[in-house]
Structure formats: structure tokens, C-alpha cells
Amino acid sequence: MSQEIMTTATCPAQRWKYGRQYWRTYIDRDEGFRKADYAVDIITDREARKFVVDNHYSHSYPAAVERVGFFKGTELVGVAVFSVPMNNAAIPKYSGLTANEGLELGRFLLVDTVPYCGESSLSQSAFKLLRQVRPSVKAVIAYADPMPRTTEHGETVMPGHLGTAYTAANARYVGRSAARTLHLTRDGIVLSPRSISKIRLQEQGADGAERNLVRLGAPSRAFGEDPAEWVARVLASNIFIRVRHPGNHTFCWALGRPNEKRRLEKSFAPAKPYPKQLDPVQHGLELLVTR
């Protein structure tokens, strides 16, 4: 999908299957999404993890708190995973609420069989269900990564997102998250900053994060080598590519009845115009710019 098409008002709706992106375009509305054909329900962590890892381009799964499945009959065709934000300050910063009063929409994806407008139905139903099972949660934030990435051979692995589904779901756009340096594999996959931190600090999940880093191309840690020193050695090598990321687009919703939403939104960060343009494509060895 070209950047020109991605910036139009009739931006196609993205779908995923086995790690590859597909699109439902404006004209596909003739297929007719029927809300009555679909249902939502809380699903297990195991179900959600398998669906996300099998279908999302990152093949990674966040620190889930609640997981909502989108079903057509008995088939799971989409998930909304609500997770703990990587940065504890995110909820207060964007919503004005305390950290434990909000969650991040850490993963939100539908497979290619779901017609155009399916994302609006899933988000609306998922928020309602989240409010029922977690009444203390009053706000949800979500990020859209607008920086397209390809492999060093030019194959697109992440086309970039403008948060079109979030815009359609009436989220408030509150600007960019902080800029940061990312480390990418030669296949264009981002190393999770949270996983790197887990290894450095030897927090829960550090062993799994270390195994994943090795799977992505890092050499095994030497016997007796300090984990933080090992991470520093790996990231300083030319195994992974460094790129300066300008920050993700950030969106925020208030949960509850209409009057409650209006009250909560008074403390939100000011609304800004919705983004219309993707960032420049980042790919291959051209990313060796911050060394």
C-alpha cells in the first residue's frame, strides 16, 4: 500500500493474517459488515497470545490485563488486548487520571475475513466489556507507529499506522509520545525496549526476554557475564540497527456513560488535529545513522 493512498480520507482498514498485512478499502463496504454476525467475550491469555503471536507482524505479546475476543460464530477473528503501559506516567500524562485508572490498548487486530468497519464494532464492544469487568478503569490509551519499516532487502514488514481505526472510534488525538532510539533486526523487527530493560534489571521475564534476543540474532551471554554488560555489548555491535524514532501517535478514550465520559475528558490532554501523513520509510542499512 503506497504512502499516497495511506494519506487519503478513505484510508483502507488494515487486517492481519500470519504476520502479513491485508487491506479492506472504502469500496469494500459493499460487502456489508453485519454486527449481528459477530460477538465479543473475555478470552484466556493463552487464546489471545496465540492469536496475536500467529497473526501480528511483531509476533509479540504485551503485558496483558484483559483480553477481548471478537467471534464470528465459534471462530476467533479478532482480539483487543488491554495491557499495562510500558511507561507508568503515560496514563496520568494523557488522561489526567492516576496510573491505575487506565490501561493501554496494547494489541488490536482483525484477520482478513472481517469486512470494513469491523474495527469500530470491536472497539466499541471491547470498551463496554472492559468497563464491566474492570469498573476502576476509566480511560484507555493507544499508540499508532507511523514509521514504515522494511527489511534490508526492501520487503515491507510494517507499513506504518496513522491510527485510522482509533480515529473512527472517536478517540482523542493527543500528539506524539517521546522520541527514542530503537534497535531493529535486519528483518525490520523492533527489539522491545521493555524486554531489554527486563534483562538489564533482571526483572520477572528476563530469562524469556534473553532467549528471544538470542533468537533474533544476538550471541548467547557468556558464562558469568553480567546481564547489563551483555546487553550493552550486543546493542553496541553491528548485529542490530539503530534508528531515531520521532514518537508514536497517541490516542485516548474515556470510558463510561456519556455524562461520565464528558466529565473525564475535561482532564485529558488537549485534542490535536488527527495525523494525515506517514513518516518517511525506514529500511535496510540506511538506518545506520545514529551510530
Side-chain angles (χ1 to χ4, degrees), residues 69-125:
F70 197 46
F71 292 89
K72 185 172 186 181
T74 59
E75 182 186 3
L76 182 63
V77 295
V79 297
V81 179
F82 298 98
S83 56
V84 178
M86 289 178 58
N87 186 337
N88 290 332
I91 297 298
K93 177 180 178 180
Y94 298 118
S95 72
L97 302 174
T98 62
N100 60 4
E101 290 180 300
L103 291 173
E104 179 182 337
L105 183 56
R107 289 289 182 270
F108 184 80
L109 64 153
L110 302 167
V111 296
D112 58 337
T113 58
V114 180
Y116 194 95
C117 291
E119 52 277 296
S120 297
S121 179
L122 172 56
S123 60
Q124 182 181 37
S125 298

Side-chain angles (χ1 to χ4, degrees), residues 180-200:
R180 62 204 190 282
T181 297
L182 298 179
H183 295 83
L184 285 72
T185 69
R186 302 288 166 157
D187 291 330
I189 303 301
V190 176
L191 305 185
S192 166
R194 180 67 183 124
S195 294
I196 293 172
S197 178
K198 285 182 179 181
I199 300 170
R200 282 179 173 142

Side-chain angles (χ1 to χ4, degrees), residues 1-8 11-12 23 159 278 281:
M1 185 63 61
S2 71
Q3 182 162 322
E4 288 74 16
I5 293 177
M6 289 290 290
T7 59
T8 65
C11 184
W23 305 92
L278 290 174
V281 176

Side-chain angles (χ1 to χ4, degrees), residues 1 14-16 18-23 55-59 145 147-161 184-190 281-284 287:
M1 185 63 61
Q14 191 172 38
R15 300 287 183 265
W16 294 97
Y18 302 132
R20 296 183 63 86
Q21 74 267 11
Y22 297 86
W23 305 92
N55 292 292
H56 196 257
Y57 75 91
S58 70
H59 303 292
D145 187 340
M147 190 177 74
R149 291 186 287 277
T150 71
T151 68
E152 60 184 325
H153 302 297
E155 179 183 0
T156 299
V157 293
M158 211 290 277
H161 306 288
L184 285 72
T185 69
R186 302 288 166 157
D187 291 330
I189 303 301
V190 176
V281 176
Q282 302 286 348
H283 58 86
L287 294 176

